[in-house]
Amino acid sequence: MNRRTAPLLALCIAAALSGCASEQEISADEANRILRQDAPYTVEDEPFSGTLVARRGDQVVFRAEYEDGRPAGLVENFHDNGELARRRQLAWDEEKGTVVVDGDEELWNEDGQRVMLASSQDGRVVKLERWCDDGDPAERASYGEGQAMTREAWDCETGKQVTQESTNAEGQPEGEQKTWAPDGTLVKHARFVAGQPEGLQETWHPNGQVTMRELATRHGMIELVQMLDQSAR
């Protein structure tokens, strides 16, 4: 069973068990407008519960679960070749008066390779993973309270890590921060505590030659340890 048929089978089973679910055909052009509209979606003046489906010819391009006129569950979009393009769990947030992602959101390229997975709670992303088109990692991030975040990123052409960063709840740099050139050469290394540099801070040219070393203390004082000609290569 492939990814495209499994969700549809699940919907059919749910419909058979409930005896009340229905399918409503809409145009492909209407799909995004209906999904974003503030008012509940109605059929014959009644809030719709069931599955909205949009097709281009015989090809399904959009499918969404609705309850009482609001998105409530899986919403899927498809590439023109029939491959699943996007799948997300949506819910209506009554307090905010809008639709939010509450669960997983996934993206695939036209070859069927998953390129993104984001997990959200009440519309707030708590974890994010992205992949290159060949399946290699491109980004990993997790989000905590406030603006707290840890993130790593890779170059899709070389496969080398290029970023390591983190922030605290106030959005200030926290902990080790590293930057690499696309070929994997370390070009920056720093450490922060509550947004202030602490300890040895270093930068390098892409060829690996040191350009600057600074020593930062807990009191915010910075001592220049070493600085080389910025034009050196």
Side-chain angles (χ1 to χ4, degrees), residues 71-75 87-93 96 98-105 118-126:
L74 282 180
V75 176
R87 176 192 289 159
R88 50 199 159 142
Q89 288 275 352
L90 296 187
W92 177 258
D93 188 314
K96 297 178 181 177
T98 189
V99 176
V100 298
V101 180
D102 190 22
D104 289 344
E105 178 174 5
S119 299
S120 299
Q121 296 176 355
D122 298 324
R124 183 177 182 275
V125 176
V126 295

Side-chain angles (χ1 to χ4, degrees), residues 16-30:
L17 291 176
S18 66
C20 60
S22 61
E23 184 174 290
Q24 177 70 21
E25 189 90 15
I26 60 174
S27 73
D29 293 335
E30 287 181 300

Side-chain angles (χ1 to χ4, degrees), residues 28 30 41 68 101 143-144 146 158 169 203 224:
E30 287 181 300
Y41 179 71
D68 295 329
V101 180
Y143 302 87
T158 65
T203 59
L224 181 63

Side-chain angles (χ1 to χ4, degrees), residues 161-164 177-190 201-213 230 233:
Q161 186 172 358
V162 293
T163 302
Q164 174 188 312
Q177 319 284 318
K178 294 182 179 181
T179 303
W180 293 265
D183 66 357
T185 302
L186 185 63
V187 294
K188 186 174 183 179
H189 176 238
Q201 319 288 308
E202 300 174 283
T203 59
W204 295 265
H205 283 297
N207 65 5
Q209 184 177 2
V210 174
T211 59
M212 183 181 295
R213 285 194 175 104
Q230 294 292 312
R233 293 292 185 270

Side-chain angles (χ1 to χ4, degrees), residues 45-228:
D45 297 326
E46 293 294 330
F48 176 74
S49 293
T51 304
L52 292 182
V53 178
R55 293 180 173 86
R56 286 194 180 95
D58 295 331
Q59 175 63 53
V60 173
V61 295
F62 172 85
R63 184 165 53 225
E65 297 176 358
Y66 265 64
E67 183 176 345
D68 295 329
R70 303 294 192 187
L74 282 180
V75 176
E76 297 175 314
N77 299 84
F78 298 83
H79 291 293
D80 290 339
N81 65 1
E83 287 287 343
L84 185 60
R86 185 182 190 185
R87 176 192 289 159
R88 50 199 159 142
Q89 288 275 352
L90 296 187
W92 177 258
D93 188 314
E94 195 66 42
E95 183 177 337
K96 297 178 181 177
T98 189
V99 176
V100 298
V101 180
D102 190 22
D104 289 344
E105 178 174 5
E106 300 171 273
L107 299 178
W108 288 266
N109 63 22
E110 290 185 287
D111 295 326
Q113 172 67 49
R114 185 170 65 171
V115 294
M116 192 202 78
L117 169 61
S119 299
S120 299
Q121 296 176 355
D122 298 324
R124 183 177 182 275
V125 176
V126 295
K127 184 177 180 181
L128 171 69
E129 292 183 86
R130 293 193 305 110
W131 294 269
C132 307
D133 285 334
D134 61 3
D136 286 343
E139 180 180 13
R140 279 199 295 258
S142 58
Y143 302 87
E145 295 296 325
Q147 300 180 58
M149 174 272 295
T150 60
R151 176 178 175 269
E152 297 175 296
W154 291 261
D155 186 282
C156 283
E157 291 188 5
T158 65
K160 301 292 186 179
Q161 186 172 358
V162 293
T163 302
Q164 174 188 312
E165 59 183 344
S166 56
T167 58
N168 58 25
E170 284 70 43
Q172 301 167 325
E174 187 75 33
E176 278 196 315
Q177 319 284 318
K178 294 182 179 181
T179 303
W180 293 265
D183 66 357
T185 302
L186 185 63
V187 294
K188 186 174 183 179
H189 176 238
R191 174 177 168 76
F192 287 81
V193 175
Q196 296 299 317
E198 181 179 274
L200 190 61
Q201 319 288 308
E202 300 174 283
T203 59
W204 295 265
H205 283 297
N207 65 5
Q209 184 177 2
V210 174
T211 59
M212 183 181 295
R213 285 194 175 104
E214 295 177 330
L215 187 62
T217 69
R218 286 184 177 274
H219 304 291
M221 300 295 292
I222 296 179
E223 177 185 351
L224 181 63
V225 177
Q226 182 181 19
M227 183 173 181
L228 300 185

